[in-house]
Amino acid sequence: MKPFSRIVVPLDGSESSARAAPVAAALGQQIGVPISLVTVAVHEDHVDTAARVLRHAACHFDQQPIECDVEVGLPAADALLGYLSAKSAPLVVMSTHARTAVGELLLGSTADELVRRSPVPIVLVGPHVELPAPRSTYREIIACLDNSDESQLLLPVVTSLSRFGVHTWLFQVVSDSGVPSTVPEGDVLEANVVRRAGEKLRLAGTSVDWDVGHDDDRARAILRFATSRDAPIVALATHGRHPVDRLSASSVTVTVARSSPCPVLVIGPSYEDTALGAK
């Protein structure tokens, strides 16, 4: 995977969306790329107001190269996807404000739509994320793997970030009820995909460790592990192609994004389609 060339931060002028700025600033300084702030105006008459929103947000970035862009048109997700398609290898950082059970149906409508349709990874900044102090860095990324091909696509993404001093943890959750009583936990750990993936990454020179959590609730196990780590980012693959999917296969991603104390990097179905189609 090509290194990220810039960080794109979608904003809408709200305090919630502005929470993405400190995370984007920390990542931008860490990987040494410029920041693009972007918002969407309903029509041309609103461009000046939208531009003022971006100029105000730019104050959050300390001596970093900033680009401010206003896209015109609705739906906002369509305008932002068109903007991303014109950029080379971006990483998106944006806030999501889902706080309640109703929020499981939408991470915030625009964030949700981008997760499902974005061809690039998105870092979600949820309502419980502890925002980084100025000039701080992220020290670990936790790639949550399972037996799916989609989750394996996280590996080149986390490897790309590992080049900038981010230590990689590979983490898999094994259901307590699914572990045979005759198999010791250590053997379960050694038999899982995280060990095979970890050994492959180590051979490629990546700083990596791996672990397995035992819990019938995958989201709970991921959040518990993330809380135990040092300034991490959680990375997940979501397979939800339609809103109803987030009540089943992608509910783990929604729960983690809503509750996590750290940013959550997500690759969605469009990213997966592009990557798998390139194989």
Side-chain angles (χ1 to χ4, degrees):
M1 179 177 176
K2 293 188 297 183
F4 299 113
S5 63
R6 70 174 51 246
I7 291 175
V8 173
V9 187
L11 299 168
D12 63 9
S14 67
E15 291 184 10
S16 174
S17 75
R19 284 175 51 80
V23 175
L27 285 170
Q29 289 179 338
Q30 189 160 4
I31 65 180
V33 297
I35 306 290
S36 291
L37 307 181
V38 59
T39 193
V40 178
V42 177
H43 50 71
E44 294 289 346
D45 291 345
H46 294 171
V47 169
D48 289 344
T49 300
R52 284 196 294 272
V53 167
L54 297 184
R55 287 195 296 270
H56 176 74
C59 298
H60 291 282
F61 298 87
D62 181 24
Q63 298 181 347
Q64 289 178 267
I66 301 292
E67 175 183 271
C68 295
D69 293 310
V70 178
E71 296 293 297
V72 179
L74 290 176
D78 288 346
L80 291 171
L81 286 165
Y83 179 82
L84 291 177
S85 68
K87 300 295 180 182
S88 175
L91 175 67
V92 177
V93 178
M94 68 184 302
S95 71
T96 174
H97 42 270
R99 293 176 178 271
T100 65
V102 174
E104 290 186 1
L105 293 174
L106 67 168
L107 296 174
S109 57
T110 301
D112 169 75
E113 190 74 7
L114 286 180
V115 166
R116 288 193 290 117
R117 296 173 59 194
S118 172
V120 300
I122 296 179
V123 176
L124 296 172
V125 181
H128 302 291
V129 168
E130 298 176 9
L131 299 180
R135 301 186 181 278
S136 62
T137 60
Y138 288 100
R139 292 185 280 276
E140 297 183 332
I141 187 164
I142 301 167
C144 301
L145 303 183
D146 53 33
N147 291 310
S148 69
D149 290 338
E150 289 85 357
S151 77
Q152 295 294 311
L153 296 175
L154 288 169
L155 297 179
V157 177
V158 300
T159 299
S160 181
L161 287 172
S162 73
R163 303 171 192 172
F164 303 98
V166 183
H167 180 73
T168 299
W169 275 93
L170 306 181
F171 186 67
Q172 184 177 13
V173 181
V174 176
S175 171
D176 280 332
S177 59
V179 178
S181 59
T182 57
V183 180
E185 283 191 9
D187 290 343
V188 172
L189 172 60
E190 292 302 309
N192 270 273
V193 295
V194 287
R195 181 181 67 85
R196 296 192 296 272
E199 290 177 343
K200 183 176 180 180
L201 290 183
R202 279 185 178 173
L203 286 173
T206 299
S207 173
V208 61
D209 286 293
W210 52 87
D211 202 351
V212 169
H214 296 269
D215 201 315
D216 290 332
D217 186 327
R218 185 169 178 241
R220 180 173 61 195
I222 292 169
L223 289 167
R224 184 169 59 239
F225 186 73
T227 301
S228 74
R229 303 311 312 159
D230 183 25
I233 297 171
V234 172
L236 290 160
T238 179
H239 319 311
R241 297 175 182 274
H242 304 287
V244 71
D245 290 342
R246 284 177 295 292
L247 296 180
S248 53
S250 292
S251 62
V252 170
T253 300
V254 174
T255 300
V256 173
R258 187 185 68 194
S259 305
S260 175
C262 57
V264 178
L265 184 152
V266 177
I267 58 172
S270 292
Y271 177 89
E272 294 158 10
D273 289 344
T274 300
L276 290 173
K279 287 188 174 183

